[in-house]
Coordinates of all heavy atoms in Angstrom, one line a residue:
Chain B
F84 N 117.0 123.4 109.0 CA 117.2 122.0 108.6 C 116.6 121.9 107.2 O 115.5 121.3 107.0 CB 116.5 121.1 109.5 CG 116.9 119.6 109.3 CD1 118.2 119.2 109.4 CD2 115.9 118.7 109.3 CE1 118.5 117.8 109.2 CE2 116.1 117.3 109.1 CZ 117.5 116.9 109.1
N85 N 117.2 122.4 106.2 CA 116.7 122.5 104.8 C 116.9 121.2 104.1 O 118.0 120.5 104.2 CB 117.3 123.7 104.0 CG 116.9 125.0 104.6 OD1 116.1 125.1 105.5 ND2 117.5 126.0 104.0
L86 N 115.9 120.8 103.3 CA 115.9 119.6 102.5 C 116.4 119.9 101.1 O 115.9 120.9 100.5 CB 114.5 119.0 102.5 CG 114.3 117.7 101.8 CD1 115.1 116.5 102.5 CD2 112.9 117.4 101.6
R87 N 117.2 119.0 100.5 CA 117.7 119.2 99.2 C 117.7 118.0 98.3 O 117.8 116.9 98.9 CB 119.2 119.8 99.2 CG 119.3 121.1 99.9 CD 120.6 121.8 99.7 NE 121.7 121.1 100.2 CZ 122.5 121.5 101.2 NH1 122.2 122.6 101.8 NH2 123.5 120.7 101.7
K88 N 117.6 118.2 97.1 CA 117.8 117.1 96.1 C 118.3 117.7 94.8 O 117.8 118.7 94.3 CB 116.5 116.3 95.9 CG 116.8 115.1 95.0 CD 115.5 114.2 94.9 CE 115.9 112.9 94.1 NZ 114.7 112.0 94.0
P89 N 119.5 117.2 94.3 CA 120.1 117.8 93.1 C 119.2 117.8 91.9 O 119.3 118.7 91.0 CB 121.4 117.0 92.9 CG 121.5 116.2 94.1 CD 120.2 116.1 94.8
S90 N 118.5 116.7 91.7 CA 117.7 116.5 90.4 C 116.4 115.8 90.8 O 116.4 114.6 91.1 CB 118.6 115.7 89.5 OG 117.9 115.4 88.3
V91 N 115.3 116.5 90.7 CA 114.0 115.8 91.1 C 113.5 115.1 89.9 O 113.7 115.3 88.8 CB 113.0 116.9 91.6 CG1 113.5 117.6 92.8 CG2 112.7 117.9 90.4
Q92 N 112.6 114.1 90.3 CA 111.9 113.2 89.4 C 110.4 113.4 89.6 O 109.9 113.9 90.6 CB 112.3 111.8 89.6 CG 113.8 111.5 89.4 CD 114.1 110.1 89.8 OE1 113.7 109.6 90.8 NE2 114.8 109.4 88.9
W93 N 109.6 113.0 88.5 CA 108.2 113.2 88.6 C 107.7 112.4 89.8 O 106.7 112.8 90.5 CB 107.6 112.6 87.3 CG 106.1 112.6 87.3 CD1 105.3 113.6 87.1 CD2 105.3 111.5 87.6 NE1 104.0 113.3 87.2 CE2 103.9 111.9 87.5 CE3 105.5 110.1 87.9 CZ2 102.8 111.1 87.7 CZ3 104.4 109.3 88.1 CH2 103.1 109.8 88.0
S94 N 108.3 111.3 90.2 CA 107.9 110.5 91.3 C 108.1 111.1 92.7 O 107.7 110.6 93.7 CB 108.6 109.1 91.3 OG 110.0 109.3 91.3
D95 N 108.8 112.3 92.7 CA 109.0 113.0 93.9 C 107.8 113.9 94.3 O 107.8 114.5 95.3 CB 110.3 113.9 93.9 CG 111.5 113.0 93.7 OD1 111.6 112.0 94.4 OD2 112.5 113.5 93.0
T96 N 106.8 113.9 93.4 CA 105.6 114.7 93.7 C 105.0 114.2 94.9 O 104.7 113.0 95.0 CB 104.6 114.6 92.5 OG1 105.2 115.2 91.4 CG2 103.3 115.2 92.8
A97 N 104.9 115.1 95.9 CA 104.4 114.6 97.3 C 104.3 115.9 98.1 O 104.6 117.0 97.7 CB 105.4 113.6 97.9
E98 N 103.9 115.6 99.4 CA 103.9 116.7 100.4 C 105.0 116.4 101.4 O 105.1 115.2 101.8 CB 102.6 116.9 101.1 CG 102.5 118.1 102.0 CD 101.1 118.6 102.2 OE1 100.1 117.8 102.0 OE2 100.9 119.7 102.6
Y99 N 105.8 117.4 101.7 CA 107.0 117.2 102.6 C 106.7 118.0 103.9 O 106.4 119.1 103.9 CB 108.2 117.7 101.9 CG 108.6 116.8 100.7 CD1 107.9 117.0 99.4 CD2 109.5 115.8 100.7 CE1 108.2 116.2 98.3 CE2 109.8 115.0 99.7 CZ 109.1 115.2 98.5 OH 109.4 114.4 97.4
F100 N 107.0 117.3 105.0 CA 106.8 117.9 106.3 C 108.1 117.8 107.1 O 108.7 116.8 107.2 CB 105.8 117.1 107.1 CG 104.4 117.2 106.6 CD1 103.9 116.3 105.7 CD2 103.5 118.3 107.0 CE1 102.6 116.4 105.1 CE2 102.3 118.4 106.5 CZ 101.8 117.4 105.6
C101 N 108.5 118.9 107.6 CA 109.6 119.1 108.5 C 109.0 118.9 110.0 O 107.9 119.4 110.2 CB 110.3 120.4 108.4 SG 111.7 120.7 109.4
A102 N 109.8 118.2 110.8 CA 109.3 118.0 112.2 C 110.5 118.0 113.2 O 111.6 117.6 112.8 CB 108.5 116.7 112.3
V103 N 110.2 118.5 114.4 CA 111.2 118.4 115.4 C 110.6 117.8 116.7 O 109.4 117.9 117.0 CB 111.8 119.8 115.8 CG1 112.3 120.5 114.6 CG2 110.7 120.7 116.5
N104 N 111.5 117.1 117.5 CA 111.1 117.0 118.9 C 112.3 117.3 119.7 O 113.5 117.3 119.3 CB 110.6 115.5 119.2 CG 111.6 114.4 119.0 OD1 112.8 114.6 119.2 ND2 111.1 113.3 118.5
K105 N 112.0 117.8 120.9 CA 113.0 118.4 121.8 C 113.5 117.4 122.8 O 112.7 116.5 123.2 CB 112.5 119.7 122.5 CG 111.3 119.5 123.3 CD 110.8 120.8 123.9 CE 109.6 120.6 124.8 NZ 109.1 121.8 125.3
L106 N 114.7 117.4 123.1 CA 115.3 116.6 124.1 C 115.0 117.1 125.5 O 114.9 118.4 125.6 CB 116.8 116.3 123.9 CG 117.1 115.7 122.5 CD1 118.6 115.4 122.5 CD2 116.3 114.5 122.3
G107 N 114.9 116.3 126.5 CA 114.5 116.8 127.8 C 113.0 116.6 127.9 O 112.3 116.6 126.9

Side-chain angles (χ1 to χ4, degrees):
Chain B
F84 190 55
N85 292 354
L86 181 71
R87 299 194 294 248
K88 186 172 184 179
S90 176
V91 295
Q92 300 174 311
W93 178 78
S94 58
D95 294 324
T96 294
E98 190 157 17
Y99 294 80
F100 292 92
C101 180
V103 306
N104 63 36
K105 57 184 182 180
L106 301 186

